[in-house]
């Protein structure tokens, strides 16, 4: 049995979720909220959970973007090095 880590609000911690797992759960939350058959208190709780998942996904995407590099070539077409994709 695996141990579940919870954050300060008692929610299951999403920091270890893969991007795909976080998006899948976020899509599930959106579908539940769009159906409109969730009690107000539960709607608020799952909305907050969705916000945490959204932030986690944004952080994962930013980290992935920061890892992407473009290859820099010299005039002869030989690899000279790499630089950030956005030219930073």
């Amino acid at each position: 049995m695996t141990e579940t880590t919870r954050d300060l609000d008692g929610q299951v911690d999403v920091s270890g979720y893969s991007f795909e797992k976080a998006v899948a759960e976020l899509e599930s939350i959106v579908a539940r909220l769009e159906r409109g058959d969730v009690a107000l208190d539960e709607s608020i709780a799952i909305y907050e959970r969705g916000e945490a998942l959204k932030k986690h996904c944004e952080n994962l995407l930013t980290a992935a973007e920061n890892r992407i590099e473009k290859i820099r070539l010299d005039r002869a077409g030989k690899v000279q090095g790499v630089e950030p994709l956005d030219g930073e």
Side-chain angles (χ1 to χ4, degrees):
M1 186 168 175
T2 60
E3 183 178 318
T4 302
T5 306
R6 297 195 177 269
D7 64 15
L8 296 176
D9 296 325
Q11 295 285 327
V12 174
D13 183 16
V14 299
S15 64
Y17 281 23
S18 69
F19 179 80
E20 294 77 11
K21 182 176 180 175
V23 167
E25 186 175 337
L26 188 54
E27 288 172 344
S28 173
I29 287 170
V30 169
R32 288 183 68 198
L33 290 171
E34 285 179 343
R35 279 195 312 267
D37 59 355
V38 181
L40 180 60
D41 288 345
E42 187 178 358
S43 292
I44 293 168
I46 63 175
Y47 178 85
E48 290 171 346
R49 173 88 174 155
E51 282 294 316
L53 289 162
K54 176 182 162 276
K55 183 176 180 180
H56 180 64
C57 288
E58 288 172 345
N59 290 339
L60 291 174
L61 285 173
T62 298
E65 288 171 352
N66 290 338
R67 292 179 49 202
I68 297 173
E69 298 176 324
K70 85 176 159 184
I71 298 171
R72 203 173 54 231
L73 303 176
D74 64 15
R75 291 182 188 260
K78 295 187 180 186
V79 175
Q80 190 175 38
V82 295
E83 62 187 43
L85 185 61
D86 60 3
E88 290 179 355

